Amino acid sequence: MSLSGQLLVASRKLRDPNFQRTIVLLLEHNDDGALGVVLNRQVDRTIEQVWDTVEFDPCDCQQQLNQGGPVPGPLIALHTSKELSEKRILPGLYMSMQKQTVDPLVRQDKHPFRLYTGNSGWGGGQLEGELTQGGWLTTPAAVSDVFADPDEIWEEVVNRIALGVLLPGRNPATVPDDPSLN
């Protein structure tokens, strides 16, 4: 079963320091492996600074770059612009990696986007092994997860998973903050 479009939440059993307290959005998952990006790690560089070092025309975008994972690779943009999309990840969320789609994306302000350097990758069967060993918890992703505050998304998603375990089938928005009212 493909986990594309799902969130992976690193558990305490996962010993890889690259993924401690991370939330990963899976962009692809098939028999050949999996590809995702970490949603809650930022890099101390802006897109403007990155554009000054690559072969793009300068831009003034002050958004911080995100660390998608430990595997080097091309820049990956997640965004809401269907016109600039190369692949649909979720309804209303798209991915782009090519210069002709990423460059115009960072120069506009109509559609939210996040830009990732590096990625999180697994070879065929590797992620399945980590899941079997309890290294990851999974939950469906939402577009809002991609654009959530990186400092808050860990707790939000962990609480969402916990509510799903404790109150299966119940809408988390209808659960009172005071547990005695449940």
Side-chain angles (χ1 to χ4, degrees), residues 10-176:
S11 79
R12 291 182 184 180
K13 293 180 180 183
L14 189 65
R15 298 289 181 212
D16 186 336
N18 291 305
F19 293 108
Q20 263 188 325
R21 292 183 58 93
T22 60
I23 305 290
V24 176
L25 172 64
L26 282 180
L27 306 173
E28 294 181 10
H29 180 230
N30 56 41
D31 291 340
D32 296 328
L35 171 73
V37 291
V38 173
L39 298 181
N40 60 331
R41 295 264 163 82
Q42 292 187 310
V43 176
D44 193 25
R45 294 178 71 195
T46 65
I47 292 172
E48 178 183 36
Q49 291 168 325
V50 172
W51 256 232
D52 285 345
T53 63
V54 295
E55 295 179 18
F56 291 145
D57 291 333
C59 79
D60 61 357
C61 182
Q62 296 303 309
Q63 187 180 123
Q64 276 190 281
L65 193 63
N66 298 279
Q67 181 63 52
V71 180
L75 293 173
I76 297 173
L78 295 179
H79 56 88
T80 62
S81 173
K82 187 174 183 177
E83 300 79 33
L84 295 173
S85 72
E86 295 170 29
K87 179 180 179 180
R88 179 180 167 264
I89 303 300
L90 300 168
L93 182 69
Y94 306 96
M95 179 175 82
S96 297
M97 296 171 57
Q98 301 299 316
K99 178 180 179 178
Q100 64 268 21
T101 55
V102 173
D103 189 52
L105 190 63
V106 302
R107 297 175 188 282
Q108 58 81 45
D109 57 6
K110 181 179 176 186
H111 298 281
F113 69 92
R114 293 274 169 97
L115 197 60
Y116 298 87
T117 180
N119 63 71
S120 302
W122 294 264
Q126 183 181 3
L127 177 58
E128 291 78 3
E130 291 178 12
L131 287 163
T132 300
Q133 293 171 358
W136 298 99
L137 303 172
T138 62
T139 191
V143 175
S144 59
D145 294 325
V146 174
F147 303 109
D149 183 324
D151 294 330
E152 296 176 6
I153 188 173
W154 167 262
E155 188 172 334
E156 290 171 9
V157 173
V158 168
N159 286 339
R160 190 164 71 209
I161 291 171
L163 282 173
V165 170
L166 295 173
L167 301 167
R170 181 116 185 243
N171 180 350
T174 65
V175 176

